[in-house]
Amino acid sequence: MDQRLVHISKEISYALRHHPEEFGLAPDEQGFVPVDALLAALNARHPGRRPVTRADLEQIIATSPKQRHQISGDRIRALYGHSFATRIDHAPATPPDVLYHGTTRRALASIRRQGLLPMERQYVHLSTNVAMAREVGARRDEHPAILLVDAKAAASDGVRFYLGNNDVWLADSVPPQYLTLLTGPDYSQSQD
Ligand code: HQG
């Protein structure tokens, strides 16, 4: 994906995940906004820039290594990552037996006590594979800690999971008893 599209993709994530109001957008309960309204808002913010078109959005979705956005008819949404106040509805679904979460070594002590919490976002984000969890954790720590989530046990105990995209699962929170440290400093010894 060329730099122009990478930049647009980031701006779309900002608009659809975090600050739709800055773009005059009001996502529905599933996070969708009209494609035309998004394009108009993007282009109004950058009058000198080559206008963004629906074809650009389709190309971003088709070529991005991560499936972040989805177009359905004349609407578009972010599939995960939301932080704005109105919680997006994701349909509860049965997760794979195990999921992974990449985080910083620094966060481990608090996670050991509290479990995984959504923090600034609406949901906790979990990965279907270790490589992706490592990539997520590496955004903030060059030697990220990887947690294994016993999603099967958590789900059967009533923790709710939701599908983000094919690789990203969401949860309201994950209590510590379902977490095991795969890579990182000794989880049981981690201190504040
Ligand atoms: C941590 C990106 C202390 C959590 C990624 C994480 C992902 C705790 C941070 C998606 C905690 C929140 C989301 C607790 C959780 N105490 N720290 N009890 N519970 N944390 O960015 O999962 O590329 O909101 O471990 O790839 O890192 O943008 O969540 O380190 O899929 O599409 O609090 O965003 O996707 O950080 O990342 P974030 P995340 P994109």
Side-chain angles (χ1 to χ4, degrees):
M1 195 157 63
D2 68 31
Q3 278 313 302
R4 172 175 173 270
L5 294 185
V6 169
H7 186 83
I8 294 166
S9 176
K10 288 187 176 172
E11 195 176 4
I12 292 169
S13 287
Y14 178 82
L16 299 182
R17 290 175 174 178
H18 307 302
H19 288 290
E21 76 290 348
E22 287 182 23
F23 295 72
L25 300 170
D28 70 12
E29 56 283 355
Q30 295 177 315
F32 280 110
V33 303
V35 171
D36 287 348
L38 174 64
L39 292 174
L42 286 172
N43 292 329
R45 279 164 78 102
H46 304 280
R49 186 171 76 175
R50 179 176 143 201
V52 182
T53 64
R54 179 178 170 120
D56 290 326
L57 304 184
E58 285 168 351
Q59 198 180 339
I60 288 167
I61 291 169
T63 59
S64 171
K66 281 170 110 175
Q67 197 193 349
R68 296 185 171 95
H69 313 114
Q70 178 189 40
I71 290 179
S72 174
D74 57 3
R75 303 177 308 157
I76 183 169
R77 68 171 168 174
L79 284 168
Y80 61 87
H82 302 87
S83 71
F84 52 74
T86 313
R87 204 163 184 260
I88 295 296
D89 275 349
H90 290 282
T94 305
D97 289 356
V98 295
L99 288 164
Y100 303 90
H101 180 85
T103 188
T104 60
R105 288 167 289 175
R106 213 170 157 228
L108 284 177
S110 162
I111 291 172
R112 180 168 57 90
R113 280 198 315 269
Q114 303 178 300
L116 291 171
L117 301 175
M119 309 305 278
E120 302 294 313
R121 302 194 199 248
Q122 296 180 4
Y123 295 87
V124 169
H125 288 61
L126 303 165
S127 305
T128 54
N129 62 81
V130 174
M132 176 171 274
R134 192 179 307 283
E135 211 177 283
V136 174
R139 286 149 58 233
R140 300 205 178 90
D141 186 340
E142 58 177 331
H143 298 294
I146 312 296
L147 297 166
L148 183 143
V149 179
D150 186 347
K152 186 178 184 180
S156 78
D157 289 348
V159 173
R160 258 184 298 181
F161 291 86
Y162 314 84
L163 188 60
N165 66 22
N166 289 334
D167 302 311
V168 178
W169 279 79
L170 308 171
D172 299 323
S173 62
V174 182
Q177 63 266 35
Y178 305 109
L179 305 173
T180 313
L181 185 68
L182 277 186
T183 316
D186 185 352
Y187 193 38
S188 63
Q189 297 299 310
S190 56
Q191 301 291 320
D192 283 347

